[in-house]
Amino acid sequence: RTGFYGDNKISTNVDNDELEIANFKLTNYPNPFSNTTTISFSLNTENTKNAKIEIYNIKGQKVKTFSNLQTSQSAIWNANKFASGIYFYRLIADDKIINTKKCLLIK
């Protein structure tokens, strides 16, 4: 008799780097915001050398980058020159996308 997955074997090998990067926090406050928002993050890993936050508009165009960040830091995004709408901010560490979240700019 075969199990739920048939005859396929399930691998339980996990890359340790992926496990370390899975332990993160990424938030922004306030959200929604009118002029500025603080994007905060922390990575629970000692091996991360280069972290950055990229902000994209609803069309997927990159509109702002905060680079050379440490593993636990915040960045204040002054969005006075940007139109109201939905934006996405992405945490990237060592050229790996960690997570993407949504924020709302209301003027």
Side-chain angles (χ1 to χ4, degrees):
R1 181 175 178 194
T2 59
F4 179 77
Y5 294 103
D7 293 329
N8 296 333
K9 297 195 183 237
I10 300 170
S11 174
T12 57
N13 294 335
V14 178
D15 187 352
N16 287 336
D17 291 338
E18 290 178 11
L19 281 177
E20 291 179 78
I21 292 177
N23 296 320
F24 68 91
K25 292 180 183 176
L26 178 63
T27 61
N28 78 296
Y29 181 82
N31 189 20
F33 66 103
S34 60
N35 291 317
T36 61
T37 187
T38 302
I39 302 170
S40 302
F41 73 95
S42 65
L43 295 167
N44 296 330
T45 176
E46 297 174 4
N47 298 329
T48 301
K49 306 253 187 295
N50 184 16
K52 64 182 174 180
I53 294 172
E54 295 178 341
I55 301 174
Y56 295 84
N57 64 19
I58 194 74
K59 296 178 182 178
Q61 299 164 321
K62 188 187 320 181
V63 297
K64 180 78 177 165
T65 301
F66 297 96
S67 56
N68 298 321
L69 303 174
Q70 303 300 315
T71 57
S72 181
Q73 197 167 344
S74 62
I76 298 173
W77 179 34
N78 182 337
N80 285 335
K81 298 179 181 179
F82 295 92
S84 295
I86 297 172
Y87 290 84
F88 298 92
Y89 58 101
R90 174 179 284 173
L91 176 60
I92 299 170
D94 296 333
D95 297 322
K96 296 178 185 174
I97 298 170
I98 307 303
N99 198 5
T100 302
K101 292 202 172 180
K102 178 173 57 172
C103 59
L104 180 60
L105 172 58
I106 300 173
K107 293 191 174 188

